[in-house]
Amino acid sequence: MLRFDHQNLLYSPMIRCGISKELVENLMPAVINAHQDIAHDRSRDILGFYDLPEQDIRPITDFSSRLDARFDTMVVLGIGGSALGNKALFSALRTEGQLPRKVLVYDNVDPVFLTEILDAIDLDRTIFNVITKSGTTAETMAAYMIVADLLRRRYPVDYARRLIVTTDKEKGFLRQVIAQEGYPSFVVPDNVGGRFSVLTDVGLVSSAFAGIDCAALLAGAGSMRDRCRDTEIWSNPAYLNGLLHYLYMRAGKNISVMMPYCNALYDFADWYRQLWAESLGKRYDRQGREIFVGQTPVKALGTTDQHSQIQLYAEGPNDKVVTFLTVNHFSHDHIIPDLHPEREEVNYLGGKRLSELLNVERTATEIALTKAGRPNANLVFDRLDAFSIGEFIMLYEIQTVFTGKLLNINPLDQPGVEAGKIATYAMMGKPGFEEELAGIRRYLSERNQLTD
Ligand code: PA5
């Protein structure tokens, strides 16, 4: 079971800026309100991620088991919520879960990155998975058109079995393409937002392909949801962590660092960055008043970033809350040989396991930050497996929505992303954006005059 150690988030003689238990308990009316709001949203069927543990995954597992056994690689073409979860799941479990097949994710429009992926794969043995809820995202559409064209030219007879599409069940131009071309397809449900969709077909198709135990993922998610079902704040890790982060935001700690001591979880810190940033970074509250809230999520890696970031975290501005991710047992380990028994510079390491050094260093960093009065928490995985990853995902999805409720914002939208999308459409010549293009031209010419 995923363990949440919140002790160093609370007030103590060392963490003087910490939150007192009394303050937490005084906020129970706000917790109850947020909880009721979530229940209301669930009854309106707009928080579908809560119900994903009960979904029927047979269509996915059947599809995966029927696939041509020669396919050994899946390349996901998507971005944001349609990519980060896929990457994180595969990274977390590829080695610990000894996965038989590979998942690569192309989530940019960088031409060199695409070249590297195409160079790294054997096209004969690769299946592509285009994932886009809206079916309109320029980055994903560009990648789809390049890859579909490549497949049609290389495999004129059977290109359609080499590409699958995951999109809205009815809407969008890709549904027409699916009907015309006969691509196998999966669905992003209406009631699950992009960044909350990792446990839908969005993340499960590539996971099943890779060999991840999807039933265990969902069982872990269900178990965490049940742990977070009521307002018993001290035994509800999502609400407690959300409330503590909310209180730290109110106290000016506007940076949230996620620091796994485990390379395999680093991509989950990236997934968290999107979830926390896009959901909570908002200009307006639910009554339309300007509030400019949010907490900037930062990712760091232990021990690597001890030699890069920890100086700042310990002695720089006290504006951060750090969350460590710890793994107790690794399925692969190395004993450090006692290569120089006579040399005290290194002989203390001889005979120790690498995982022991790793976790000792994490504890050492915790002690250093705590002594410096910096609030920190620890999420402890006994081992990395599909169940515990499912717990982690559900924990953060609930925590994010709950924190959004405390902040009185809508955690499910992302209006700030639209302006950039519209400007891109205009500059790339998409019909219907002529007025925006004229405005952009005026802006560029004024800017050029200023810089001339
Ligand atoms: O969380 C979100 O809704 C976004 O980050 C989307 O996932 C992202 O913009 C990609 O959108 P789409 O799946 O429609 O291509």
Side-chain angles (χ1 to χ4, degrees):
M1 183 167 96
L2 193 64
R3 191 165 65 77
F4 173 47
D5 179 352
H6 63 270
Q7 278 317 312
N8 292 332
L9 293 178
L10 294 177
Y11 175 86
S12 72
M14 277 194 271
I15 310 277
R16 289 180 184 282
C17 63
I19 311 289
S20 68
K21 285 192 167 169
E22 294 69 45
L23 182 52
V24 168
E25 271 149 23
N26 287 343
L27 269 135
M28 280 314 292
V31 170
I32 291 165
N33 265 341
H35 180 71
Q36 285 170 347
D37 245 6
I38 290 176
H40 180 62
D41 283 355
R42 288 187 68 185
S43 72
R44 290 165 57 218
D45 198 23
I46 56 173
L47 289 178
F49 72 85
Y50 270 92
D51 303 313
L52 294 173
E54 281 71 40
Q55 74 189 281
D56 179 6
I57 55 170
R58 275 172 306 181
I60 296 174
T61 46
D62 287 354
F63 173 80
S64 209
S65 58
R66 281 198 319 268
L67 264 184
D68 186 336
R70 278 171 299 183
F71 288 134
D72 63 6
T73 303
M74 177 176 282
V75 178
V76 168
L77 309 176
I79 199 161
S82 293
L84 289 165
N86 298 68
K87 216 197 284 194
L89 280 166
F90 182 68
S91 300
L93 295 171
R94 76 179 149 205
T95 306
E96 291 286 329
Q98 303 185 345
L99 302 182
R101 299 200 199 93
K102 206 162 46 184
V103 174
L104 301 174
V105 178
Y106 178 65
D107 61 348
N108 204 342
V109 284
D110 181 321
V112 176
F113 182 28
L114 182 59
T115 307
E116 283 171 348
I117 289 191
L118 295 177
D119 284 352
I121 58 172
D122 175 350
L123 206 56
D124 287 345
R125 302 175 71 87
T126 300
I127 184 159
F128 292 84
N129 184 359
V130 180
I131 308 179
T132 169
K133 182 172 183 180
S134 61
T136 57
T137 306
E139 293 89 336
T140 307
M141 289 298 101
Y144 150 70
M145 289 196 279
I146 291 172
V147 166
D149 179 57
L150 174 69
L151 294 176
R152 287 159 78 131
R153 282 186 289 111
R154 185 78 75 86
Y155 307 100
V157 179
D158 71 344
Y159 64 86
R161 68 179 190 95
R162 296 168 188 275
L163 190 143
I164 55 184
V165 181
T166 307
T167 191
D168 186 89
K169 72 174 178 310
E170 288 162 0
K171 289 193 293 258
F173 126 96
L174 279 178
R175 276 286 152 204
Q176 291 159 24
V177 175
I178 291 163
Q180 272 159 21
E181 303 285 359
Y183 294 130
S185 74
F186 288 91
V187 172
V188 191
D190 273 350
N191 61 355
V192 182
R195 55 190 172 274
F196 295 86
S197 68
V198 53
L199 295 179
T200 68
D201 293 1
V202 168
L204 295 184
V205 172
S206 70
S207 296
F209 173 84
I212 291 172
D213 182 347
C214 292
L217 258 182
L218 296 180
S223 150
M224 180 56 77
R225 179 198 55 201
D226 295 346
R227 258 170 92 183
C228 301
R229 71 178 165 266
D230 59 33
T231 53
E232 288 299 321
I233 193 77
W234 299 107
S235 57
N236 180 330
Y239 285 11
L240 182 58
N241 207 18
L243 179 61
L244 291 169
H245 276 74
Y246 164 74
L247 290 169
Y248 277 118
M249 271 185 250
R250 283 206 332 197
K253 296 200 193 310
N254 286 321
I255 300 175
S256 160
V257 180
M258 181 171 280
M259 187 167 188
Y261 271 71
C262 168
N263 282 56
L265 287 172
Y266 199 37
D267 285 337
F268 260 111
D270 235 357
W271 172 82
Y272 162 72
R273 276 194 326 154
Q274 185 210 8
L275 188 66
W276 203 241
E278 213 162 55
S279 303
L280 303 185
K282 296 289 151 75
R283 176 173 177 173
Y284 297 108
D285 70 9
R286 285 192 291 175
Q287 285 69 42
R289 294 171 298 220
E290 267 191 347
I291 50 168
F292 297 106
V293 290
Q295 193 180 39
T296 305
V298 168
K299 62 173 186 167
L301 180 65
T303 64
T304 311
D305 285 327
Q306 286 178 206
H307 302 266
S308 158
Q309 301 294 298
I310 289 298
Q311 170 62 31
L312 172 74
Y313 300 171
E315 293 192 356
N318 196 349
D319 56 359
K320 300 170 195 65
V321 184
V322 176
T323 302
F324 300 113
L325 305 183
T326 306
V327 179
N328 280 340
H329 300 103
F330 291 84
S331 58
H332 302 266
D333 214 340
H334 296 268
I335 306 273
I336 308 167
D338 200 5
L339 209 57
H340 302 282
E342 71 293 351
R343 299 305 300 253
E344 64 182 26
E345 296 93 324
V346 290
N347 64 7
Y348 70 96
L349 293 170
K352 307 274 172 37
R353 283 172 288 116
L354 270 188
S355 62
E356 183 183 353
L357 177 60
L358 180 68
N359 283 337
V360 161
E361 293 210 41
R362 196 222 48 91
T363 308
T365 305
E366 174 190 321
I367 293 169
L369 289 185
T370 305
K371 278 191 174 159
R374 310 298 160 120
N376 59 84
N378 190 14
L379 271 172
V380 187
F381 293 77
D382 191 41
R383 56 186 69 251
L384 274 192
D385 54 21
F387 187 91
S388 61
I389 294 292
E391 290 182 289
F392 176 85
I393 290 169
M394 186 57 85
L395 170 72
Y396 271 100
E397 291 185 347
I398 296 177
Q399 178 180 318
T400 302
V401 168
F402 175 75
T403 309
K405 298 292 181 195
L406 293 177
L407 287 167
N408 190 29
I409 50 103
N410 178 359
L412 304 178
D413 66 1
Q414 55 282 327
V417 181
E418 284 310 302
K421 279 191 190 171
I422 289 170
T424 303
Y425 291 151
M427 286 186 282
M428 293 301 283
K430 188 170 180 181
F433 293 86
E434 295 74 15
E435 214 175 291
E436 283 80 6
L437 183 59
I440 290 167
R441 288 202 168 122
R442 275 195 303 278
Y443 159 78
L444 290 175
S445 105
E446 283 163 22
R447 196 187 65 176
N448 289 345
Q449 280 164 17
L450 286 174
T451 52
D452 276 347

